[in-house]
Amino acid sequence: TSRHYRAALATLPAEQRDVYLLHEESELSLEEIARITGVGPETAKSRLRYAVGKLKAALASVKDLA
């Protein structure tokens, strides 16, 4: 549910959450995100990958409890 999604987002480190939200909700490219956040494109990509992995794990654990 959206409540679980918001809770999972809140557990992410700010850097990962920011990149994830810029990519998923603002639909920005990794190059645009890198420019906005002041990091290299590979760092932005890494932060996005870690964020997605943590969100999947958090939401999977909620699904397993249901």
Side-chain angles (χ1 to χ4, degrees):
T1 67
S2 65
R3 180 173 54 92
H4 294 117
Y5 173 72
R6 287 191 309 273
L9 273 176
T11 67
L12 293 177
E15 296 87 1
Q16 292 175 12
R17 184 175 53 250
D18 291 346
V19 169
Y20 178 82
L21 291 173
L22 287 169
H23 188 263
E24 293 299 319
E25 294 187 5
S26 298
E27 299 181 356
L28 296 177
S29 69
L30 288 171
E31 291 77 19
E32 292 169 315
I33 294 168
R35 193 169 48 252
I36 290 168
T37 59
V39 300
E42 290 301 317
T43 300
K45 183 178 181 180
S46 177
R47 289 178 180 176
L48 178 61
R49 183 172 41 88
Y50 281 115
V52 168
K54 289 177 183 178
L55 287 173
K56 282 183 179 180
L59 295 174
S61 68
V62 169
K63 184 178 178 184
D64 290 341
L65 295 175

